């Protein structure tokens, strides 16, 4: 689409600029070669360029037209090059009678050749010569380039003859693509015209198969580098899937093969419908608006749409907040819908290319080459699909036998995907194109059709590759039409750092993870889920719940409750029984419970387990909820699920299971304590009898109830070793590779600030605490167990890292080292974190535990936060029994089980308010170290 004159008017007055530059040479007889004159020329050009760019930015803010903005910047660049060229030609390197060799054409190539530039784009130039380079030509090129560089522009350039362009274009695909976009700017126009004509005839002609294969391969490699999903929540608008480069590739292929100069010609050639062409233009305009705003906003050629700029760009583009969706989320939804459109257009073009070359004998080479490149096979004859009239399979790709197959039976829109999934077929681009144009057939009648719903459930619960099939259905537009509630979350992003993908992509990926677990391909990472999924009484309720668990995102109400309500409406339509529907709705309503409890509650506290068992109520539901939770977390994004989270979930499962099977021990606390002591004493049979008897009395009752048998043994050996050496400080470091954590055990004289010192040492060494358990012995020692995230693959390296942390703890406790103050105050947050606002919140709860008050602190994560919180808690004269740290992207939820100094819960309302105020201030980096209650020696009746 060419810019209109009115879009460019008033941007740069070239004639006036030329007059001002010529005036600088009046005193030298028109000679502008003097360095002083060059300096004045540069200053004049800078002033002109700055004013024009400022005007371009102003117009973008006013009219929001992205493509026009890019064309304005390209026009400005053209004019600057013309002015510089003319000044060099007439005032610096003047020649009276130029020879045939002293000619030159300045040609824009690459993106600049298309007549579009972003504010931070490179300026790609080709200086075309008739013959070999001359001294005059070299001087002019050098003058132009140095002037452009001094203007602060990034210039890509080459100086070549036409013969060189042809030769290199044949052998180098990058050069071929650049010259494909060649556009005359200034100089000898005949040279540029000859280049375009010869390039078309000697390079492009009869080589489209080679070019298309190279561009598709290049695109796939780029997607692999950027992330194969077009639904990453911080997309690269230039190089990412569904970005500008994909749109460029689309046009390069069309331009190369159909030999057209403009996109609108593709409609005349029948490649695109008018509606599809309009989608292409709108997509391009939107992406250019985003890119230009992004460059202007950041002041650099930034292509990643990161969290810290998304909201500002949303505001600049005029998006507003709606119930359940913020302005930035509405903007990003539009972005992902555009990215999806670009994928659709690519498939439509491929269909058109293939359709034409099936009909044309000369195109057989292209068809064969592209097919072999994409699928590794040579084409075979089309065959009907058994039991599915209306469908053909050709070269392992499913196609339709006639254009009316979907009109004849709209259920075929579902059947096509079910056949492809069942047989492992690819979808022929021609069929995909017809599906896209038949979406109006997916109406209320089809949605209520029993056969259509049977087919959909077959796809969703397939034992083949349901993720791939559902994604194809989503990209074709069928999934969102057939399940309108799913359509509402298509391309929806959640503005946070926790979720890596849009909601629809997350749901589809979660189905893929579930299928992976069922196939046994995740056994090493999820051994319990892999075992349990084979024992389920009904697997389809799990798949349906997985597909629907986040379907109510973006609504004002709680998405778990709303999702359960949607499930009760959809499940009967899908063919599920009343009992199955109840199970699916329950799973969706409670799909976050197991993760929340595992990561933020004390799993050794009996109240935690009994309360959770009361929610679950049956072993079958416990199995379903565990598997759903694992798949949900895994599908959030790479690295979100780790061994530690897996261990917490397994612990919660194993602790809850006996409560649901009747196998839970009914031993009294006293009996349970005696049994735990007896078990440990039996394992310490190598100790002297007196030492064993003494040790059995060194722990408070609660220790014996909540600490595992293996950890009790490790603690006993550590304490015994310290006693024999008369050490008052002792440490043990144990890497746990499978759980992806390293366990630090600290034995030290009990002190109110001990956990704060440990947290400070971890902060200073960059160690991230994920869990902490605090125990106190009857003889005044603290026994703290800290779990930090594992960072190094080798156990020996991780052991050394853990020892560095314990060394600093020891030095801090003995006064040999001073812990640093946290510097990341609220106002100093950097990078992406600045984009988020998470209000500090402190909940004080006395119902979650029989023995502790539970403090739940949430807010914006930052380095040193746990250090600040534990310092604040120590000044409040509270004992910490355990600490549980969970991070969800930018948000942190730290949970502390605490008592007062006498071991009692915090029941005084006034004191609870002080705790809330102090800890909310600590989240913001404001630590009040004044005592909130009379300071007394720390006395713990029972800790743990």
């Amino acid at each position: 689409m060419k810019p209109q004159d009115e879009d460019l008017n008033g941007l740069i007055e070239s004639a006036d600029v030329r007059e001002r530059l010529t005036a600088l040479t009046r005193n030298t007889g028109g000679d502008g070669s003097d360095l002083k004159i060059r300096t004045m020329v540069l200053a004049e050009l800078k002033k002109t360029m700055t004013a024009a760019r400022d005007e371009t930015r102003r117009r973008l803010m006013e009219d929001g037209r992205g493509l026009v903005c890019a064309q304005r910047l390209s026009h400005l660049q053209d004019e600057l090059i013309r002015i510089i060229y003319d000044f060099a030609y007439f005032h610096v390197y003047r020649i009276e009678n130029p020879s045939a060799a002293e000619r030159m054409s300045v040609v824009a190539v690459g993106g600049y050749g298309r007549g579009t530039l972003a504010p931070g784009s490179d300026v790609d130039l080709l200086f075309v010569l008739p013959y070999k380079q001359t001294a005059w030509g070299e001087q002019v090129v050098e003058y132009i380039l140095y002037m452009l560089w001094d203007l602060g522009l990034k210039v890509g350039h080459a100086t070549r003859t036409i013969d060189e362009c042809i030769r290199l274009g044949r052998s180098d695909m990058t050069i071929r693509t650049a010259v494909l976009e060649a556009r005359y700017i200034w100089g000898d126009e005949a040279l540029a015209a000859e280049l375009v004509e010869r390039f078309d005839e000697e390079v492009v002609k009869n080589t489209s198969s080679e070019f298309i294969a190279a561009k598709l391969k290049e695109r796939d490699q780029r997607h692999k580098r950027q992330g194969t999903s077009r639904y990453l929540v911080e997309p690269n608008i230039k190089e990412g899937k569904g970005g500008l480069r994909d749109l460029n590739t689309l046009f390069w292929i069309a331009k190369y093969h159909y030999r057209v100069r403009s996109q609108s010609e593709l409609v005349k050639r029948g490649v695109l419908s008018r509606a599809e062409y309009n989608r292409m233009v709108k997509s391009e305009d939107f992406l250019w608006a985003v890119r230009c705003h992004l460059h202007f906003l950041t002041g650099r050629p930034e292509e990643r749409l990161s969290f810290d700029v998304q909201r500002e760009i949303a505001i600049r583009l005029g998006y507003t907040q709606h119930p359940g969706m913020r302005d930035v989320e509405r903007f990003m939804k539009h972005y992902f819908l555009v990215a999806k459109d670009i994928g659709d257009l690519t498939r439509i073009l491929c269909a058109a290319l293939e359709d034409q070359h099936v009909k044309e004998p000369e195109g057989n080479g292209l068809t064969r080459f592209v097919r072999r490149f994409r699928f590794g096979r040579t084409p075979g004859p089309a065959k009907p699909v058994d039991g599915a009239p209306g469908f053909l399979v050709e070269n392992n790709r499913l196609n339709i036998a006639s254009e009316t197959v979907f009109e004849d039976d709209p259920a075929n829109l579902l059947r096509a995907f079910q056949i492809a999934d069942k047989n492992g077929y690819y979808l022929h681009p021609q069929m995909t194109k017809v599906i896209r144009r038949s979406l109006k057939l997916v109406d209320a009648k089809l949605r209520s059709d029993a056969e259509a719903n049977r087919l959909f459930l077959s796809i969703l619960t397939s034992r083949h590759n349901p993720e791939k099939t559902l994604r194809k259905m989503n990209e074709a537009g069928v999934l969102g039409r057939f399940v309108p509630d799913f359509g509402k979350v298509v391309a929806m992003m959640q503005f946070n750092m926790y979720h890596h993908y849009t909601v629809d992509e997350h749901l589809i990926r979660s189905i893929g993870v579930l299928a992976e677990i069922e196939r046994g391909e995740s056994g090493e990472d999820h051994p319990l889920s892999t075992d349990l999924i084979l024992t389920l009484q009904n697997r389809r309720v799990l798949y349906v719940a997985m597909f629907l668990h986040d379907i109510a995102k973006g609504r004002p109400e709680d998405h778990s409750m709303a999702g359960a309500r949607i499930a009760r409406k959809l499940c009967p339509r899908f063919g599920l029984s009343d009992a199955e529907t109840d199970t699916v709705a329950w799973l969706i309503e409670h799909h976050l419970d197991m993760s929340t409890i595992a990561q933020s509650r004390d799993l050794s506290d009996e109240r935690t387990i009994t309360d959770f068992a009361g929610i679950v109520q049956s072993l079958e539901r416990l199995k379903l909820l565990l598997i759903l939770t694992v798949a949900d977390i895994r599908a959030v994004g790479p690295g979100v699920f780790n061994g530690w989270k897996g261990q917490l979930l397994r612990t919660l499962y194993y602790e809850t299971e006996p409560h649901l099977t009747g196998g839970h021990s009914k031993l009294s606390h006293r009996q349970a304590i005696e049994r735990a002591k007896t078990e440990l004493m039996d394992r310490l049979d190598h100790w002297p009898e007196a030492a064993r008897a003494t040790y059995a009395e060194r722990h408070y009752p609660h220790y014996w109830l909540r600490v595992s048998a293996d950890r009790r043994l490790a603690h006993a050996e550590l304490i015994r070793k310290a006693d024999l050496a008369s050490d008052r400080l002792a440490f043990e470091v144990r890497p746990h590779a499978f759980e992806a954590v390293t366990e630090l055990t600290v034995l030290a004289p009990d002190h109110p600030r001990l956990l704060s010192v440990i947290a400070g040492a971890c902060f200073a060494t960059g160690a991230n605490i994920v869990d902490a358990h605090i125990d106190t012995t009857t003889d005044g020692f603290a026994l703290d167990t800290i779990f930090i995230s594992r960072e190094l693959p080798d156990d020996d390296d991780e052991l050394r890292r853990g020892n560095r942390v314990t060394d600093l703890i020891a030095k801090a406790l003995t006064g040999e080292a001073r812990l640093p103050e946290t510097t990341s105050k609220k106002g100093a947050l950097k990078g992406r974190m600045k984009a988020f606002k998470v209000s500090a919140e402190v909940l004080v709860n006395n119902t979650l535990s029989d023995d502790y008050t539970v403090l739940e602190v949430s807010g914006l994560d930052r380095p040193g936060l746990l250090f600040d919180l534990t310092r604040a808690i120590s000044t409040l004269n509270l004992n910490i029994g355990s600490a549980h740290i969970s991070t969800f992207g930018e948000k942190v939820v730290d949970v502390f089980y605490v008592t007062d100094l006498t071991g009692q819960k915090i029941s005084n309302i006034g004191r609870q308010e002080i705790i809330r105020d102090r800890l909310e201030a600590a989240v913001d980096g404001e630590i009040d170290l004044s005592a909130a209650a009379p300071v007394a020696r720390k006395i713990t009746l029972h800790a743990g």
Side-chain angles (χ1 to χ4, degrees):
M1 186 178 75
K2 290 186 177 180
Q4 302 298 312
D5 289 342
E6 59 265 26
D7 293 328
L8 307 178
N9 288 342
L11 202 60
I12 177 173
E13 299 297 338
S14 302
D16 292 346
V17 178
R18 281 185 165 87
E19 281 185 23
R20 291 198 296 274
L21 297 187
T22 300
L24 297 175
T25 67
R26 280 185 187 143
N27 295 333
T28 57
D31 184 359
S33 60
D34 185 81
L35 189 57
K36 290 181 180 178
I37 293 177
R38 185 191 184 279
T39 302
M40 290 187 285
V41 168
L42 177 62
E44 187 65 44
L45 291 174
K46 273 188 177 178
K47 186 173 71 173
T48 301
M49 185 178 78
T50 300
R53 286 172 71 91
D54 288 346
E55 174 63 13
T56 302
R57 186 197 313 224
R58 187 195 66 76
R59 292 187 190 184
L60 175 65
M61 296 295 286
E62 187 178 87
D63 60 29
R65 298 165 70 192
L67 184 56
V68 170
C69 177
Q71 290 168 340
R72 286 168 180 155
L73 289 168
S74 176
H75 170 69
L76 168 62
Q77 193 59 56
D78 289 354
E79 290 303 303
L80 288 172
I81 289 169
R82 289 165 186 154
I83 290 166
I84 295 168
Y85 180 97
D86 284 350
F87 190 84
Y89 188 90
F90 292 110
H91 298 290
V92 183
Y93 301 109
R94 298 179 287 181
I95 46 175
E96 296 294 330
N97 297 302
S99 66
E102 287 170 327
R103 295 185 294 138
M104 178 191 303
S105 182
V106 185
V107 173
V109 292
Y112 181 34
R114 283 190 301 281
T116 53
L117 273 183
S121 290
D122 292 1
V123 178
D124 293 324
L125 295 175
L126 175 63
F127 296 95
V128 184
L129 307 173
Y131 314 114
K132 66 181 181 178
Q133 178 66 285
T134 64
W136 173 84
E138 195 171 328
Q139 289 170 329
V140 171
V141 169
E142 189 176 271
Y143 187 88
I144 293 171
L145 289 175
Y146 274 95
M147 194 65 80
L148 292 173
W149 286 329
D150 289 345
L151 284 169
L153 299 168
K154 288 189 294 182
V155 184
H157 63 94
T159 305
R160 298 189 181 109
T161 64
I162 295 176
D163 287 341
E164 287 172 332
C165 291
I166 300 300
R167 178 172 53 81
L168 291 170
R170 286 173 179 154
S171 61
D172 189 311
M173 199 58 69
T174 302
I175 293 174
R176 191 186 303 190
T177 307
V179 178
L180 181 68
E181 301 279 24
R183 177 177 60 85
Y184 168 73
I185 298 177
W186 211 233
D188 192 314
E189 191 169 1
L191 271 178
E194 184 183 346
L195 170 65
V196 170
E197 185 180 337
R198 285 188 57 190
F199 181 81
D200 187 60
E201 191 64 28
E202 298 176 35
V203 177
V204 174
K205 190 176 182 180
N206 297 327
T207 61
S208 60
S209 60
E210 177 188 356
F211 184 80
I212 292 170
K215 288 294 118 183
L216 291 175
K217 183 177 181 180
E218 182 185 288
R219 183 197 63 174
D220 291 346
Q221 290 172 340
R222 175 164 41 80
H223 289 170
K224 194 173 181 180
R225 287 194 304 272
Q226 294 294 328
T228 54
S229 174
R230 64 172 57 88
Y231 305 115
L232 288 164
V233 293
E234 288 186 293
N236 186 308
I237 60 173
K238 180 183 176 185
E239 303 289 349
K241 195 169 186 178
L244 272 168
R245 184 71 78 197
D246 275 6
L247 204 54
N248 295 342
T249 301
L250 190 68
F251 184 57
W252 287 333
I253 290 174
K255 183 176 183 178
Y256 200 102
H257 178 69
Y258 292 104
R259 317 281 281 278
V260 297
R261 296 295 296 175
S262 69
Q263 296 169 346
S264 59
E265 291 179 59
L266 294 175
V267 179
K268 298 174 187 173
R269 300 292 296 268
V271 180
L272 298 177
S273 68
R274 175 59 60 180
E276 288 158 353
Y277 168 72
N278 289 337
R279 278 167 64 201
M280 175 186 274
V281 172
K282 285 182 179 179
S283 297
E284 186 175 22
D285 186 60
F286 174 80
L287 289 177
W288 271 113
V290 174
R291 191 178 183 210
C292 289
H293 275 301
L294 184 58
H295 284 203
F296 278 133
L297 177 63
T298 60
R300 61 180 186 273
E302 178 60 64
E303 308 296 355
R304 186 166 296 283
L305 203 51
S306 56
F307 290 126
D308 53 325
V309 297
Q310 286 177 7
R311 187 161 191 277
E312 176 59 30
I313 291 178
I315 292 168
R316 290 185 178 203
L317 290 171
Y319 290 87
T320 56
Q321 185 161 322
H322 283 198
M325 283 189 77
R326 288 179 278 186
D327 47 9
V328 63
E329 291 170 338
R330 293 185 63 238
F331 157 53
M332 291 305 295
K333 178 165 185 171
H334 187 181
Y335 175 88
F336 291 120
L337 288 172
V338 166
K340 185 171 178 291
D341 277 348
I342 291 170
D344 293 340
L345 289 167
T346 303
R347 284 184 286 277
I348 289 165
L349 175 63
C350 288
L353 285 169
E354 190 140 347
D355 186 49
Q356 177 185 343
H357 282 78
V358 164
K359 295 171 184 173
E360 295 180 7
E362 65 175 301
N364 288 339
L366 170 67
T367 307
R368 186 161 45 247
F369 187 94
V370 174
R371 286 184 182 178
R372 193 183 304 120
F373 167 69
R374 303 299 281 170
F375 308 111
R377 299 183 180 90
T378 52
K383 299 177 181 176
V385 178
D386 291 342
F391 291 98
L392 303 171
V393 63
E394 175 189 1
N395 195 39
N396 206 45
R397 291 189 302 173
L398 187 67
N399 203 352
I400 48 177
S402 77
E403 294 279 329
T404 64
V405 67
F406 301 122
E407 290 179 20
D408 296 342
D409 182 2
N412 279 333
L413 286 163
L414 282 300
R415 188 171 285 109
F417 294 99
Q418 193 262 349
I419 293 168
D421 173 77
K422 181 180 177 182
N423 298 285
Y425 294 149
Y426 295 100
L427 301 183
H428 196 290
Q430 179 62 28
M431 185 177 77
T432 306
K433 178 180 176 180
V434 177
I435 288 173
R436 183 80 202 184
R437 292 176 177 177
S438 305
L439 290 178
K440 63 181 182 296
L441 298 173
V442 185
D443 53 14
K445 183 180 178 183
L446 183 65
R447 285 192 283 269
S448 61
D449 181 77
E451 174 64 6
N453 281 283
R454 184 195 68 79
L455 290 166
F456 174 69
L457 197 60
S458 170
I459 293 166
L460 178 60
T461 61
S462 164
R463 295 183 186 272
H464 303 289
N465 197 337
E467 177 187 5
K468 178 182 174 183
T469 308
L470 289 170
R471 184 171 290 111
K472 292 292 183 188
M473 289 179 70
N474 192 33
E475 289 178 345
V478 173
L479 191 53
R481 292 287 293 246
F482 190 69
V483 186
D485 287 296
F486 185 90
K488 291 177 182 177
V489 298
V490 168
M492 180 187 290
M493 69 93 74
Q494 298 161 81
F495 189 60
N496 58 56
M497 287 171 60
Y498 181 62
H499 294 92
H500 294 221
Y501 304 105
T502 55
V503 178
D504 57 325
E505 178 68 4
H506 166 69
L507 290 174
I508 291 170
R509 281 175 179 259
S510 68
I511 293 291
V513 175
L514 203 56
E516 191 180 280
I517 292 171
E518 188 173 26
R519 290 193 297 266
E521 295 170 5
S522 295
E524 290 185 6
D525 296 325
H526 314 296
L528 182 57
S529 298
T530 301
D531 290 343
L532 292 178
I533 200 166
L534 301 177
T535 70
L536 294 178
Q537 297 173 24
N538 187 330
R539 61 186 287 277
R540 72 178 187 173
V541 296
L542 181 59
Y543 276 85
V544 174
M546 193 87 258
F547 177 68
L548 299 177
H549 76 274
D550 276 348
I551 203 162
K553 282 283 179 77
R555 303 183 189 217
E557 66 265 53
D558 175 79
H559 82 279
S560 300
M561 301 294 289
R565 193 167 62 249
I566 291 168
R568 292 190 182 282
K569 176 186 70 176
L570 285 177
C571 289
R573 195 194 107 186
F574 292 160
L576 270 63
S577 67
D578 289 348
E580 288 175 315
T581 299
D582 285 343
T583 301
V584 170
W586 181 89
L587 282 169
I588 294 170
E589 184 177 336
H590 295 279
H591 77 271
L592 296 175
D593 288 5
M594 196 166 192
S595 173
T596 300
I597 291 169
Q599 294 182 68
S600 63
R601 297 289 178 261
D602 188 342
L603 302 184
S604 63
D605 190 306
E606 186 66 18
R607 182 67 176 274
T608 299
I609 305 304
T610 55
D611 286 354
F612 180 60
I615 295 170
V616 178
Q617 296 188 338
S618 78
L619 182 60
E620 187 69 12
R621 280 185 172 182
L622 180 64
K623 292 178 185 179
L624 290 165
L625 189 57
L626 172 75
I627 300 165
L628 185 141
T629 302
V630 168
D632 185 14
I633 299 174
R634 270 277 310 278
V636 166
V640 176
F641 191 94
N642 55 35
W644 177 244
K645 289 177 183 174
Q647 180 60 39
L648 292 174
L649 290 169
R650 285 191 294 274
T651 300
L652 180 55
Y653 178 88
Y654 286 129
E655 291 293 328
T656 308
E657 184 183 31
H659 287 260
L660 302 173
T661 58
H664 179 60
S665 170
K666 300 300 181 184
L667 291 173
S668 68
H669 273 202
R670 184 178 58 78
Q671 290 173 313
I673 291 166
E674 288 306 315
R675 188 172 74 173
K677 286 183 178 181
T678 301
E679 286 178 357
L680 179 61
M681 294 309 113
D682 290 343
R683 297 177 74 177
L684 295 176
D685 56 2
H686 55 288
W687 283 22
E689 183 63 38
R692 285 191 293 170
T694 301
Y695 186 80
E697 303 305 318
R698 287 183 76 165
H699 294 286
Y700 291 105
H702 215 67
Y703 173 86
W704 299 101
L705 293 172
R706 78 159 207 176
V707 177
S708 68
D710 288 341
R711 193 158 286 126
R712 286 197 297 262
L713 178 62
H715 289 170
E717 297 290 9
L718 177 67
I719 292 172
R720 173 73 172 160
K721 183 178 177 182
D723 286 347
L724 293 175
S726 299
D727 289 336
R728 292 180 62 76
L729 278 179
F731 304 94
E732 184 179 45
V733 179
R734 285 191 177 192
H736 298 280
F738 182 70
E739 292 83 1
V741 293
T742 294
E743 178 183 350
L744 311 178
T745 304
V746 181
L747 177 71
D750 196 12
H751 186 279
R753 298 182 188 274
L754 178 59
L755 183 59
S756 177
V757 171
I758 294 171
C762 289
F763 163 61
T765 55
N768 180 40
I769 297 176
V770 294
D771 215 8
H773 293 280
I774 291 84
D775 295 291
T776 310
T777 65
T778 56
D779 57 347
F781 277 83
L783 188 61
D784 293 0
T785 305
I786 311 298
F787 295 90
I788 60 174
S789 296
R790 184 183 177 99
E791 287 192 0
L792 303 170
D794 186 76
D795 272 358
D796 290 338
D797 292 337
E798 190 65 20
L799 190 63
R800 282 190 286 272
R801 173 173 168 260
N803 285 328
R804 282 197 298 273
V805 179
T806 57
D807 287 346
L808 183 56
I809 294 170
K811 288 177 180 176
L813 289 173
T814 58
E816 295 177 45
R818 183 180 178 84
L819 293 174
E821 289 291 320
T822 55
T823 56
S824 296
K825 305 294 185 185
K826 189 174 183 180
L829 292 169
K830 295 181 180 178
R832 299 189 302 168
M833 285 292 192
K834 288 192 295 185
F836 301 100
K837 292 180 181 178
V838 181
S839 299
E841 184 179 31
V842 178
L843 304 176
V844 182
N845 194 309
N846 278 320
T847 64
L848 296 174
S849 171
D850 292 332
D851 303 304
Y852 292 93
T853 293
V854 179
L855 307 179
E856 184 173 302
V857 184
S858 58
L860 190 63
D861 194 17
R862 60 175 173 82
L865 176 57
L866 183 60
F867 181 26
D868 285 346
L869 289 173
T870 52
R871 283 198 296 166
I873 289 172
S874 68
T875 64
L876 290 163
N877 296 310
L878 300 174
N879 286 333
I880 300 175
S882 65
H884 311 274
I885 289 79
S886 306
T887 306
F888 304 93
E890 75 285 355
K891 182 179 180 180
V892 68
V893 180
D894 290 353
V895 176
F896 302 92
Y897 281 63
V898 302
T899 64
D900 64 16
L901 294 181
T902 65
Q904 302 300 310
K905 290 184 177 184
I906 315 303
S907 56
N908 182 283
I909 302 299
R911 193 166 184 208
Q912 289 182 8
E913 285 301 318
I914 292 172
I915 291 170
R916 285 192 191 93
D917 292 344
R918 289 283 188 92
L919 294 184
E920 283 182 7
V923 171
D924 293 336
E926 298 165 8
I927 312 300
D928 186 346
L929 297 177
S930 61
V935 178
R937 182 183 169 287
K938 186 178 177 186
I939 303 168
T940 309
L941 298 180
H942 53 76

